[in-house]
Amino acid sequence: MRNAGRSAATILDRLCRMVRPGMSTLEIDEAGGEMMRDFRVKSACKGYRSGNRVFPSFTCLSINDEVVHGIGMPDRILKDGDVLSVDVCIRENGVIGDNCRTIPVGTVSPEIERLLKITEESLYLGISQALHKKRVGDVSQAVQEYVEGAGFAVITNFVGHGVGRTLHEEPQIPNFGNAGTGPQFRKGMAICIEPMVNMKSPQIRMAKDGWTALAVDGMPSAHFEHTLLVDEDKPEILTIPEGEGEADEYINSKLAGLAA
Ligand code: MF3
Ligand code: CO
């Protein structure tokens, strides 16, 4: 899972660095598919089944009010001031690495910048609770309090999850709830924490394509996710790109950057 996490994070990082106004989400998705080939890993999104529907693209690319599970399309062109959520979820040697980031395309308004910063910070706050013998609700409450304290809305229709040989395993990890409740974490458990945050309303609706979730308020939405391993005194983030050093250095530099 360390290898799968590193591959997923490196692909996500490279894709995010490519994003420019004028690109289509299909171009980004195809680049993602090529990187997966180069890394000799498989997309865990393409071919993912829900009911009788099969997810068609290598990655999930969700623009602005698209919350999650957007499909790469030739006619979805990014423009300056948009935000794009890039969700990369792969299988390597039979196990999954899953991670997501929402990035600005060109220059975004200060309020959108704040949405991205608060959502990313809420992810790290949640991660800091994922310790041996703590409970799922400790993560949930940390995320919810921070997001709502900043005046934004946590989405309740989608949750984080256990992860391993399959993408979605027990336990579910909601981004809302009460500390001290829910299943207990154990050293060695692999989980995905993934706050999804709207600006005004937590409500979402399904787009006509049957996959893309849209924010009902029509405003930009943010999503940050890491795969991590529960441990006793600090969690081990698995989705750190190649060359970014140890998990602690990475998380410290992230938090310092976010505080600035
Ligand atoms: N990271 C997403 C999740 O955990 C990946 C979904 S794959 C899709 O739900 F096929 F459903 F898009
Ligand atoms: Co996930």
Side-chain angles (χ1 to χ4, degrees), residues 98 161 192 194 225:
D98 183 11
H161 48 94
C192 292
E194 49 180 322
E225 173 177 29

